[in-house]
Amino acid sequence: MILTEFEWQTLLLSLKIAGAAIIFSLPLGILTAWILARCQFIGKSLFDSIVHLPLVLPPVVLGYLLLLTMGRHGIIGEWLNNYFHLSFSFNWQGAALASAVVAFPLMVRSIRLAIESIDSRLEKVARTLGTKPFRVFMTITLPLAFPGILMGTVLGFARCLGEFGATITFVSNIQGETRTIPLAMYTLLQIPDGESGALRLCIVSIVLSLIALFLSEMLNRWHKKKLTG
């Protein structure tokens, strides 16, 4: 199967956007998962609901909310543009932001379940021995939660690759800038003789997802073997 220049450009742009979305959202995802798994506070149920809201909201609604808040004239976007010259409107950074928002709950859920499965007594013992909380987190919690973090990363990455509604609503469908694989397939299906290109991109999407899941499983096995051996 030979991809055209348009399809290669779409593939590389999709990987770039999904990669950026995961890299910048992963630290926040780990922190959020740890808060939900280990902390008790007033309003936790509300916070949990807000974190997982993108799972149930239509992607178009998320895209519209991003447009209202992070657009060039949005509540936050206008301030970022005026003071930091940072804009998310109609560029790949905005597409990465939309993908990150949509994928964030999947990432958090996997990591949270991994942290909750860790025996909290291990962390308590380390703290009673004088280990600072941050060091406990870095040396005990994080390594033991690695499989869940890995799975959350893979699920988030795959979800970013498949994002459509929020992206097209927030940053439109611009060739070479925001047109990821789903948007390119949508475009190809609107033009005569575009089905073959859409089919090739469909196959590429399936292959990318299988590779991500395979690498995740291999890394997970390697990590378990390292811990036991």
Side-chain angles (χ1 to χ4, degrees):
M1 182 179 67
I2 300 176
L3 301 180
T4 64
E5 182 180 352
F6 165 77
E7 292 159 1
W8 273 114
Q9 183 184 48
T10 301
L11 171 59
L12 294 176
L13 179 63
S14 298
L15 293 174
K16 174 184 175 180
I17 289 173
I22 293 301
I23 289 172
F24 286 102
S25 63
L26 183 58
L28 181 59
I30 294 173
L31 176 62
T32 303
W34 180 83
I35 291 173
L36 291 173
R38 289 290 188 255
C39 299
Q40 298 296 329
F41 53 91
I42 298 175
K44 180 179 177 180
S45 296
L46 177 61
F47 178 64
D48 191 7
S49 299
I50 293 173
V51 169
H52 290 88
L53 196 59
L55 284 177
V56 294
L57 278 179
V60 173
V61 173
L62 291 174
Y64 181 63
L65 290 175
L66 283 172
L67 193 62
L68 292 177
T69 55
M70 303 301 294
R72 191 178 296 274
H73 300 291
I75 300 170
I76 301 174
E78 185 174 14
W79 179 78
L80 290 174
N81 187 46
N82 290 339
Y83 291 96
F84 299 99
H85 303 290
L86 179 62
S87 174
F88 291 99
S89 298
F90 308 111
N91 55 38
W92 73 267
Q93 292 94 333
L97 176 62
S99 296
V101 169
V102 172
F104 191 73
L106 289 174
M107 183 190 304
V108 170
R109 188 169 182 82
S110 295
I111 300 172
R112 176 186 180 179
L113 291 174
I115 294 175
E116 288 178 339
S117 68
I118 300 171
D119 190 344
S120 60
R121 290 175 296 181
L122 295 173
E123 298 166 324
K124 291 178 181 177
V125 168
R127 285 195 292 268
T128 58
L129 294 175
T131 307
K132 294 185 180 299
F134 181 74
R135 184 169 176 80
V136 171
F137 176 78
M138 294 299 295
T139 59
I140 296 177
T141 309
L142 207 58
L144 291 176
F146 179 78
I149 295 173
L150 184 61
M151 183 53 65
T153 301
V154 171
L155 287 175
F157 185 79
R159 182 64 184 87
C160 288
L161 287 176
E163 167 49 32
F164 178 84
T167 301
I168 198 170
T169 305
F170 180 40
V171 291
S172 190
N173 182 9
I174 304 172
Q175 171 61 24
E177 192 68 36
T178 66
R179 186 172 292 171
T180 55
I181 290 176
L183 274 68
M185 290 180 63
Y186 172 79
T187 302
L188 289 169
L189 290 173
Q190 308 305 309
I191 61 177
D193 301 322
E195 290 87 352
S196 59
L199 178 60
R200 286 193 295 271
L201 288 177
C202 178
I203 294 172
V204 168
S205 296
I206 294 172
V207 171
L208 286 175
S209 299
L210 288 174
I211 291 174
L213 290 172
F214 176 77
L215 290 177
S216 171
E217 182 63 23
M218 291 298 101
L219 287 172
N220 192 16
R221 290 183 181 181
W222 170 81
H223 180 69
K224 288 182 178 179
K225 185 176 180 182
K226 184 178 179 181
L227 288 177
T228 58

